[in-house]
């Protein structure tokens, strides 16, 4: 269980996280998969506290995989989280991070991810969403269009999501888009800021 995509994208994503995360940040990761991101970011950013999570059905595998590799300081014991089920791990977190999940989850889970993130983020906290996104219904590359078609053929509830639609839904729960960064392989990092803050909600 090893993700070649994670190996390719972890460097570029780390560059962005290092720039955006406040010092000593506490981060909740949604859909940690193999745990490669959790491990790499914790080993690379001093003072980071990283809470990996996975679906209940995948949590034992994630635990096992994390135990096979070095245990960087700040990497917490993984927790089970299906974004559609409350309660989420107790916040507040300075950031929520999720990579390559929005196109895999059904749309209602994407909405639950946005609402759940808004609920656990500290005031001014950041949500990082990494993956392929279309823009106003237009794919940024032929490879993303092909990937979208492949996902929908496999399962109609999957599919590359539209950044503008996500932006509008995020705004409904108090998350405003701060930045949309282009990363290698036609992926993007969407960065939202919690404009309302859980204390005022
Ligand atoms: C393509 S994998 C990405 C894994 C990892 N983040 C990466 O970048 O390699 C999609 C992940 O989304 C998770 N996922 C799907 N539906 C979910 C849900 N409802 N709640 C939480 N995680 C979910 C899956 O378990 C899986 O780990």
């Amino acid at each position: 269980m090893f993700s070649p995509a994670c190996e390719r994208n972890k460097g570029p994503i780390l560059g962005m996280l290092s720039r955006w995360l406040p010092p000593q940040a506490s981060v909740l990761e949604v859909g940690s998969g193999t745990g490669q991101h959790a491990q790499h970011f914790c080993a690379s950013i001093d003072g980071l506290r990283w809470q990996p999570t996975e679906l209940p059905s995948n949590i034992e595998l994630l635990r096992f995989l994390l135990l096979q590799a070095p245990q960087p300081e700040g990497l917490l014991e993984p927790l089970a989280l299906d974004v559609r089920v409350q309660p989420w791990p107790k916040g507040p977190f300075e950031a929520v991070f999720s990579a390559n999940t929005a196109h895999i989850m059904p749309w209602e889970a994407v909405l639950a991810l946005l609402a759940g993130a808004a609920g656990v983020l500290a005031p001014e906290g950041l949500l990082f969403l990494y993956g392929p996104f279309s823009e106003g219904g237009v794919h940024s590359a032929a490879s993303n269009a092909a990937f979208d078609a492949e996902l929908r053929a496999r399962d109609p509830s999957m599919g590359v999501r539209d950044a503008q639609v996500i932006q509008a839904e995020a705004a409904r729960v108090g998350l405003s888009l701060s930045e949309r960064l282009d990363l290698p392989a036609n992926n993007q990092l969407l960065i939202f800021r919690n404009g309302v803050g859980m204390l005022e909600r």
Side-chain angles (χ1 to χ4, degrees):
M1 287 298 294
F2 176 79
S3 162
C6 268
E7 285 310 293
R8 289 193 297 271
N9 63 36
K10 68 184 188 182
I13 297 174
L14 173 65
M16 298 303 160
L17 291 184
S18 305
R19 208 176 296 170
W20 279 79
L21 284 176
Q24 320 287 322
S26 163
V27 182
L28 175 71
E29 182 180 18
V30 171
S32 300
T34 59
Q36 284 161 257
H37 282 149
Q39 222 126 26
H40 185 63
F41 301 152
C42 262
S44 309
I45 302 178
D46 279 348
L48 190 63
R49 277 175 68 79
W50 193 274
Q51 177 62 70
T53 70
E54 246 309 333
L55 284 174
S57 52
N58 298 342
I59 189 70
E60 284 310 322
L61 177 60
L62 174 60
R63 284 207 177 100
F64 172 79
L65 292 171
L66 285 172
L67 286 174
Q68 308 310 304
Q71 311 283 304
E73 206 179 316
L75 179 56
L76 304 177
E77 180 71 8
L79 296 174
L81 174 65
D82 180 330
V83 291
R84 295 165 294 190
V85 180
Q86 287 288 348
W88 276 39
K90 191 167 158 38
F93 295 93
E94 275 80 45
V96 172
F97 172 85
S98 198
N100 282 325
T101 52
H103 58 272
I104 298 294
M105 302 175 171
W107 179 243
E108 66 270 20
V110 178
L111 298 180
L113 167 53
L114 296 173
V120 298
L121 278 173
E124 304 292 313
L126 299 171
L127 168 64
F128 296 91
L129 278 187
Y130 170 86
F133 297 98
S134 59
E135 170 78 41
V138 179
H139 291 289
S140 58
S143 57
N144 283 6
F147 182 49
D148 183 38
E150 184 191 315
L151 286 169
R152 291 176 196 278
R154 198 194 320 163
D155 181 340
S157 75
M158 294 183 183
V160 170
R161 310 301 176 191
D162 194 83
Q164 288 181 359
V165 177
I166 290 192
Q167 183 178 348
E169 294 296 340
R172 282 181 203 272
V173 294
L175 300 172
S176 52
L177 186 70
S178 288
E179 195 69 76
R180 183 180 309 156
L181 300 163
D182 288 326
L183 289 186
N186 303 305
N187 288 300
Q188 294 187 339
L189 186 65
L190 309 184
I191 307 176
F192 299 88
R193 193 174 288 281
N194 188 13
V196 181
M198 59 185 287
L199 297 178
E200 299 155 60
R201 196 173 284 120

